[in-house]
């Protein structure tokens, strides 16, 4: 009975998210129903005796309160500060300066599909410094998309490649990366350099090569539907800023790596402090350049508004995901999957495949890399302990797979955003992103197994 109720609740959550119901609300309701199922059918206590407020049913709300408190004060603060920094970089034109500087050499190449492949590589590198997938996608649509189309690539190919440039969520500025590092209890900079980068090099190369062939062959066999008129919107150019502004989005990464254990620094730098330092430096430079100190100080509002929107859009999603995952844990589904895998004698790699498969399917259905990873990341240490491996060996493929799978969903924000500019159907675009992302996922799992398995 519990198994079928759980399946029904999971189906309910996936169905309504696909129907574009507010995902946080759906996840909260799903988590609540799962916890009620665990409580009333199994009499499972929601909280430990010391943490309980005296009522098993009311402990559901106590858990939600505690999760909000912990998440907002910890990971939530990191994400809000990162979001504020990213918004300020966009506001002062530094993000656009970085994109222009890194993409301008591609204009000299005369092969559209080589440029397409390079666009993916450059975009994935830029994602380290511009952690917003949608923000980076829109920037590339404004700056690189016209170049790709003018060289001979179809709008469909150009949109598909640009829509996948942030599929790996690399670097310590990414919320998913920070959560993966914290889940495995390691430094964010160390996670990026020691674990993400070695795997990412192979995955990025594989995706770029696959994009080259998929888009080239696809453009040779365009259907009538794909040849329909494309509408490209025009955007007013932002005020020109000095070229050195391209350095500003990179400052946080330099600060984080410079004061990390990689260089045996005695200073314990964290993401939040690095972002605050970078914001301060950028505001000083902006104030001195414009000599409009009143406006520069007022620009703090841009940062704070972005932090607030990060709470509304992202932090609540994290909490909702954790609430739903906690319900799955309490109702016994996750333990059943783990026990089934163990008793089947499948070992470490099948366990990784199971967890990666669950999170990949969830990312496609939800149209988000954040929601499923935030929901299931907390399970990585438990799963790792069950097969005696380092949590990072499971957490990293889960984290990278969530972003890869997100790029195959026609309802994900970045795909919808870039398609809104080119006028291409999101459903046509994900046909072109499916194979590159599948190859990337396979290479991810193989590389993780070879390097860390």
């Amino acid at each position: 009975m519990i198994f079928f109720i759980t399946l029904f609740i999971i189906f309910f959550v996936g169905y309504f998210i696909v129907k574009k119901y507010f995902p946080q609300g759906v996840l909260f309701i799903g988590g609540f129903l799962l916890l009620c199922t665990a409580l009333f059918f199994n009499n499972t206590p929601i909280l430990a005796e010391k943490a309980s407020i005296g009522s098993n049913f009311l402990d559901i709300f106590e858990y939600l309160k505690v999760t909000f408190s912990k998440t907002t004060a910890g990971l939530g603060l990191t994400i809000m500060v990162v979001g504020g920094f990213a918004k300020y970089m966009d506001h002062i034109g530094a993000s656009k300066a970085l994109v222009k500087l890194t993409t301008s050499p591609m204009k000299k190449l005369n092969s559209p599909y080589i440029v397409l492949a390079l666009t993916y590589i450059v975009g994935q590198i830029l994602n380290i410094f511009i952690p917003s997938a949608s923000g980076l996608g829109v920037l590339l649509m404004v700056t690189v998309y016209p170049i790709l189309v003018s060289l001979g690539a179809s709008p469909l190919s150009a949109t598909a490649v640009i829509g996948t440039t942030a599929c790996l969520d690399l670097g310590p500025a990414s919320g998913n990366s920070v959560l993966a590092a914290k889940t495995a209890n390691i430094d964010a900079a160390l996670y990026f350099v020691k674990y993400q980068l070695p795997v990412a090099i192979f995955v990025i190369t594989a995706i770029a090569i696959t994009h080259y062939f998929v888009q080239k062959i696809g453009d040779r066999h365009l259907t009538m539907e794909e040849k329909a008129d494309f509408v490209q919107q025009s955007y007013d150019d932002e005020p020109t800023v000095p070229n050195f502004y391209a350095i500003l989005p990179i400052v946080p990464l330099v600060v984080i790596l410079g004061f990390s254990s990689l260089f045996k620094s005695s200073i314990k730098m964290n993401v939040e402090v690095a972002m605050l330092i970078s914001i301060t430096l950028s505001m000083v430079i902006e104030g001195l350049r414009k000599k409009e100190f009143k406006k520069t100080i007022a620009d703090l509002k841009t940062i704070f508004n972005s932090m607030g929107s990060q709470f509304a859009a992202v932090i609540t999603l994290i909490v909702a995901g954790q609430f739903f995952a906690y319900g799955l844990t309490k109702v016994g589904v996750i333990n059943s999957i783990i026990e089934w895998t163990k008793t089947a004698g499948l070992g470490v790699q099948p366990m990784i495949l199971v967890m990666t498969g669950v999170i990949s399917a969830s990312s496609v259905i939800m149209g988000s890399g954040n929601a499923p990873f935030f929901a299931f990341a907390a399970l990585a240490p438990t799963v790792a302990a069950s097969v005696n491996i380092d949590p990072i060996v499971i957490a990293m493929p889960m984290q990278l797979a969530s972003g890869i799978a997100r790029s195959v969903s026609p309802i994900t924000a970045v795909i919808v955003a870039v398609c809104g500019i080119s006028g291409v159907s999101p459903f046509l675009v994900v046909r072109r992103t499916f194979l590159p992302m599948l190859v990337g996922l396979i290479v991810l799992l193989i590389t993780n197994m070879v390097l860390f398995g």
Side-chain angles (χ1 to χ4, degrees), residues 106-319:
M106 294 192 298
K107 295 179 182 179
K108 298 178 181 178
L109 295 173
N110 206 26
S111 171
Y113 300 102
I114 291 178
V115 176
L116 276 173
L118 289 175
T119 296
Y120 168 73
I121 294 173
V122 171
Q124 192 68 78
I125 294 170
L126 286 172
N127 182 232
I128 299 171
F129 315 110
I130 305 173
S132 167
S134 300
L136 176 61
V138 170
L139 278 172
L140 291 174
M141 287 299 291
V142 173
T143 54
V144 182
Y145 175 82
I147 299 171
L148 297 174
V149 174
S150 66
L151 287 174
S154 73
L156 182 55
S157 291
T159 306
V161 170
I162 290 174
T164 61
T165 49
C167 70
L168 293 182
D169 288 328
L170 296 175
S174 162
N176 275 14
S177 293
V178 172
L179 177 58
K182 288 189 176 182
T183 300
N185 198 28
I186 63 173
D187 180 70
L190 185 64
Y191 171 62
F192 170 56
V193 174
K194 185 177 179 180
Y195 294 98
Q196 276 190 327
L197 273 184
V199 171
I201 289 171
F202 291 97
V203 176
I204 290 171
T205 303
I207 292 176
I209 293 172
T210 310
H211 263 311
Y212 173 87
F213 289 105
V214 167
Q215 308 314 331
K216 187 173 184 178
I217 295 171
D219 281 358
R220 286 179 182 171
H221 302 89
L222 287 171
T223 64
M224 293 303 294
E225 182 185 9
E226 292 168 341
K227 289 180 180 179
D229 291 336
F230 299 108
V231 180
Q232 183 181 357
Q233 301 174 8
S234 60
Y235 290 83
D236 294 330
D237 289 332
E238 297 176 11
T240 303
V241 297
N243 288 335
F244 75 85
Y245 265 47
I247 298 173
L248 297 181
I250 305 174
V251 171
L253 184 66
V254 174
V255 172
I256 291 169
L257 294 179
F259 290 106
S260 72
S261 57
L262 294 171
F263 296 97
K264 299 179 180 179
S265 172
S266 60
I267 298 174
K268 295 181 179 179
M269 182 59 61
N270 55 59
V271 175
E272 299 94 322
V273 172
M275 291 293 170
L276 292 173
I277 290 171
S278 303
I279 288 171
T280 303
L281 175 64
S282 301
M283 291 191 74
V284 169
I285 292 173
E286 180 76 350
L288 292 174
R289 184 178 76 88
K290 289 188 173 180
K291 295 182 174 60
E292 296 177 6
F293 298 108
K294 183 177 180 180
K295 183 180 181 305
T296 301
I297 294 173
D299 282 345
L300 276 170
K301 185 177 180 181
T302 301
I303 298 169
F304 295 146
N305 284 343
S306 177
M307 291 176 68
S309 66
Q310 289 295 315
F311 178 86
V314 180
I315 310 307
T316 55
L317 189 59
I318 296 174
V319 175

Side-chain angles (χ1 to χ4, degrees), residues 183 325 328-329 333-342 346-364 369 371-387 389-403 405 441 444-445 448:
T183 300
L328 287 174
T329 304
V333 171
I334 301 302
N335 287 336
S336 298
I337 293 174
I338 293 171
E339 288 303 318
W340 173 82
T341 309
K342 287 168 63 179
L346 299 178
V348 175
Q349 296 308 322
M351 186 70 82
I352 294 174
L353 286 174
V354 168
M355 296 305 295
T356 304
V358 168
I359 206 166
S360 296
S362 301
S363 295
V364 175
F373 185 65
F374 291 147
F376 297 111
L379 301 174
T382 303
V383 175
S386 71
V387 286
I389 58 172
D390 192 323
I392 199 65
V393 178
I394 286 183
M396 185 179 66
M398 287 173 62
Q399 185 247 310
L400 296 180
S402 66
L441 184 60
L444 160 65
L445 292 170
N448 182 68

